[in-house]
Amino acid sequence: MPFLNKGRACRSSREERSKYYAFDEKSGLAYTEVVVRAAPMRADWVWKTRGSTAEIAKFRSPETGSSTLLNMAIRKVCLNVVNMTPESLIGLDWHAGKLLWERIVALQIDSLYAWRMFAAAFPDETNESLKRRYQIIQIPNMVLSDYTKHLHSQSFQWITFLTLSHVTCSYSDLMNLSKFSNLGALTIGHGVEVSNSTSKGIDDRVIRAWARASAESGAFSALQVLACRMQLLITRQTFDRLTEFPTLALFLVEGCSIGPRDRPHAQRLGWRYSTGKDLSEVLVGSGIWAPSWNSTMHACFQKATDICSATDISPLSAKIDTLPRLHFAIGAAPSDAVVDVTGDRSLRCFHRAIPQRIVQSLQQPDIKRPLENVVQNETASRRVVRPWKKQKVGDFMTEFGF
């Protein structure tokens, strides 16, 4: 319902009065109409795309001449991509799935929902847009848990990198991250603060609480990289509990209260400092000469996976390394400036270097649900659709002779 602002009509032309004012004949009042947009009833960012299925012209066949039956089938699927379910991709071979996914990406209708379905259906494929996805929510309007619940995958269909920056989170939301089973990398970035707290940023107590959850309940079973940026309350005491994270192999600090004088303390607790040369070599080896934080996180995760495999910290690291990766950033995006990973002034890197006898004592039990038992449907229940909408994509394309 529009708000009513009482006031006298301005002494201008009738055209301007009709443009800015409305007139109530019964009361004789002039008022302005203000439209107030309500918050969406569902998480629309999960389905949000840059393209639109309403742009029918872009869905035509890219070739000249008459459209083939295959292009007609792909176009029909693209027009109904919102109604697709994970079950509809069961039995679809990768040759057809690749053509369909490439067309979805070209039309810019590759929402997070669509990506999750294809990543779960084709986890072993090396398509770059399917293997890695980077998404940013620059102006969040929900609590942290409302975002992270769409990033979970209990059956490890993908690995999530979570980056927080310039947001305020409650203490309970931060603690609930311990239930994030497929969280592979976590970044507490610039401007992250805890609500109802007198101090700015997170401190060692949050890290200790996460470590306690790891030791007592096996939380963070896939977390291999932890990064803290511009968190002045993170000190050397953090190293006292880092070994309680079962699979943590890399700890990155930038702009924190950890300096060169703290290296001996970290090394006594099993964390060896490196200048970033190894990380730089990983980046350069991947063809990245000017790393952003997104590419840096992928390189860190790759290095952490190699450390886990070399030291037997996590027997599942080899399998986790092959899974699709979703890097999800909440809050104003950090600067795209090149990250300094080669020197000692910016990003400091501590990697795990624990003797084997200590590693064995810290081993946590394997994940309760093996990676092979992939559950195809983890999405929330949706409204009942008509039977024809439940048709599998493979069967649909077969009808067109593909």
Side-chain angles (χ1 to χ4, degrees), residues 135-242:
Q135 185 159 340
I136 302 176
I137 303 294
Q138 294 188 352
I139 306 177
N141 56 4
M142 299 184 296
V143 296
L144 180 60
S145 58
D146 288 341
Y147 289 104
T148 56
K149 67 182 180 182
H150 295 282
L151 312 177
H152 285 192
S153 178
Q154 294 290 340
S155 56
F156 282 77
Q157 294 174 330
W158 63 83
I159 289 293
T160 300
F161 301 169
L162 180 62
T163 296
L164 305 177
S165 58
H166 301 288
V167 293
T168 300
C169 307
S170 66
Y171 185 80
S172 60
D173 278 341
L174 292 175
M175 292 302 101
N176 285 335
L177 290 179
S178 62
K179 303 176 183 178
F180 209 147
S181 58
N182 63 315
L183 183 61
L186 174 61
T187 301
I188 306 298
H190 304 67
V192 176
E193 298 183 2
V194 181
S195 58
N196 300 324
S197 176
T198 57
S199 59
K200 291 187 177 181
I202 68 169
D203 53 20
D204 298 327
R205 293 176 298 175
V206 176
I207 306 296
R208 288 199 298 268
W210 285 341
R212 190 181 307 112
S214 298
E216 296 176 356
S217 61
F220 296 107
S221 58
L223 184 65
Q224 295 184 2
V225 179
L226 176 61
C228 295
R229 309 184 72 188
M230 300 313 226
Q231 297 296 322
L232 297 177
L233 300 180
I234 296 297
T235 67
R236 57 180 288 178
Q237 296 180 3
T238 302
F239 292 103
D240 298 343
R241 305 299 294 270
L242 283 184

Side-chain angles (χ1 to χ4, degrees), residues 15-16 35 46 61 63 72 102 106 152 181 198 214 225 245 295 297 304 328 332 341 347 353 358 367 391:
E15 179 180 357
E16 288 200 14
V35 178
V46 179
S61 174
E63 293 85 8
M72 292 172 63
E102 289 178 347
H152 285 192
S181 58
T198 57
S214 298
V225 179
F245 290 92
S295 58
M297 288 308 299
F328 195 82
V341 297
L347 189 65
I358 302 180
I367 300 171
Q391 186 178 17

Side-chain angles (χ1 to χ4, degrees), residues 5 8 27 85 95 112 145 147 187 215 307 326 367 400:
N5 297 330
R8 291 182 295 179
S27 63
T85 62
H95 177 61
L112 177 61
S145 58
Y147 289 104
T187 301
I307 294 173
L326 168 63
I367 300 171
F400 280 82

Side-chain angles (χ1 to χ4, degrees), residues 86-100:
E87 290 82 1
S88 63
L89 294 177
I90 297 177
L92 184 68
D93 67 291
W94 172 238
H95 177 61
K98 180 181 179 181
L99 294 176
L100 179 58

Side-chain angles (χ1 to χ4, degrees), residues 109-124:
I109 55 175
D110 51 326
S111 64
L112 177 61
Y113 176 77
W115 180 87
R116 290 188 313 186
M117 288 192 299
F118 277 84
F122 308 103
D124 299 326

Side-chain angles (χ1 to χ4, degrees), residues 19-72:
K19 181 178 180 181
Y20 297 103
Y21 287 87
F23 181 72
D24 185 9
E25 296 180 356
K26 294 182 179 180
S27 63
L29 297 176
Y31 60 90
T32 57
E33 292 187 355
V34 179
V35 178
V36 179
R37 298 186 181 276
M41 298 299 294
R42 68 176 187 176
D44 59 343
W45 56 271
V46 179
W47 285 270
K48 187 176 182 179
T49 61
R50 288 173 292 179
S52 173
T53 55
E55 300 173 359
I56 303 297
K58 294 184 179 180
F59 284 73
R60 296 174 180 173
S61 174
E63 293 85 8
T64 57
S66 301
S67 179
T68 62
L69 292 178
L70 174 60
N71 283 322
M72 292 172 63

